[in-house]
Amino acid sequence: MKKGSVSLLFALMLAAASLPALAGKQDPMVVPAYERVESTNGIAPTAARIKAAIIHAGKTRGWTVADSEPGKVTLRYAPRTHEVIVAVRYDANGFKIEYVSSKEMNYEVKRGTAEIHGNYNRWIRNLALDIQNSPVFHQQDAVDAAQAATP
């Protein structure tokens, strides 16, 4: 074999060996804590309002409701070839987002620590922020404004 062919073969082998590393970066999976929802406009949150906020926030970010039962909404997010499924458990005081499953997100447990594609943590953080800031918790503002505008 010519020297140039050996170099090309070696370069191709090196490139093939590095493909898994290029396929997707993994970060330690953030496991969100239970988040309390404070009263808004003097109105205490309820389980129904928190559930509505979860569904609204999910829809706003492109998540779909895969399942719903009292105290839990299962959401699915599937941009491109990736897929994430989370369960959002809720009660009258707050909510907690829990990982259920994923596809094409490089999820694995290494030395007792769950790792996943870096986008997962961002998607979950944005979902939690949107639930907390949902207009569902501020609908009374719109009602008050409409009543004040009526002579």
Side-chain angles (χ1 to χ4, degrees):
M1 219 187 250
K2 292 184 179 181
K3 188 175 183 178
S5 297
V6 171
S7 296
L8 179 60
L9 182 61
F10 180 72
L12 288 172
M13 288 174 40
L14 184 61
S18 64
L19 279 178
L22 297 174
K25 182 177 170 262
Q26 288 175 297
D27 290 335
M29 178 186 279
V30 172
V31 179
Y34 177 85
E35 294 197 37
R36 289 188 60 77
V37 174
E38 301 301 322
S39 65
T40 55
N41 303 324
I43 302 169
T46 63
R49 290 178 81 203
I50 292 175
K51 179 181 180 181
I54 292 165
I55 292 169
H56 180 268
K59 184 177 179 183
T60 300
R61 289 276 177 184
W63 295 78
T64 57
V65 176
D67 191 26
S68 180
E69 58 187 66
K72 181 175 91 171
V73 176
T74 304
L75 298 174
R76 176 181 178 267
Y77 185 60
R80 298 168 302 282
T81 60
H82 300 78
E83 178 186 73
V84 172
I85 297 176
V86 297
V88 186
R89 297 188 186 280
Y90 65 92
D91 57 26
N93 299 308
F95 64 93
K96 179 171 177 38
I97 301 172
E98 301 171 346
Y99 173 85
V100 174
S101 66
S102 62
K103 293 180 184 167
E104 301 293 326
M105 294 297 291
N106 303 323
Y107 173 81
E108 66 180 308
V109 178
K110 293 181 181 176
R111 293 181 242 56
T113 302
E115 293 186 358
I116 196 161
H117 191 289
N119 285 348
Y120 172 83
N121 293 327
R122 182 172 43 89
W123 295 340
I124 296 306
R125 182 179 60 246
N126 288 339
L127 178 61
L129 286 170
D130 287 354
I131 293 169
Q132 285 283 3
N133 297 319
S134 175
V136 168
F137 298 126
H138 305 285
Q139 288 179 343
Q140 192 61 40
D141 288 340
V143 171
D144 292 344
Q147 289 175 345
T150 305

